[in-house]
Amino acid sequence: MTPRTPREIIAGLADTYHCGDCRSDPPELREIAPEIFVLQIGHADGCPVLVGAVSDRADLLRAIDRAS
């Protein structure tokens, strides 16, 4: 199996991440420098994740699991 590039790994995460509370907009992936990526997740106004009332850790772990 060929190792995946950082771009492939983060793109897989972007494709599989969904907020369990608001279902969020599709994440926007940007490369701000060579091999440095920003994944911007657009949560709905009032989403408990957006306002910090709950963690997105479980959603993130699910996305990592699906992307791998």
Side-chain angles (χ1 to χ4, degrees):
M1 183 165 141
T2 304
R4 296 189 309 167
T5 66
R7 178 185 298 280
E8 292 169 331
I9 294 167
I10 195 72
L13 180 60
D15 288 343
T16 58
Y17 180 88
H18 299 285
C19 177
D21 291 289
C22 73
R23 302 302 292 169
S24 64
D25 294 331
E28 176 188 337
L29 177 61
R30 294 181 290 128
E31 187 171 8
I32 58 173
E35 303 297 317
I36 305 293
F37 300 93
V38 172
L39 185 62
Q40 180 67 42
I41 299 168
H43 293 279
D45 291 341
C47 174
V49 172
L50 180 65
V51 298
V54 297
S55 172
D56 67 344
R57 209 168 295 152
D59 297 322
L60 184 58
L61 290 173
R62 277 190 293 277
I64 291 168
D65 185 54
R66 284 186 291 239
S68 57

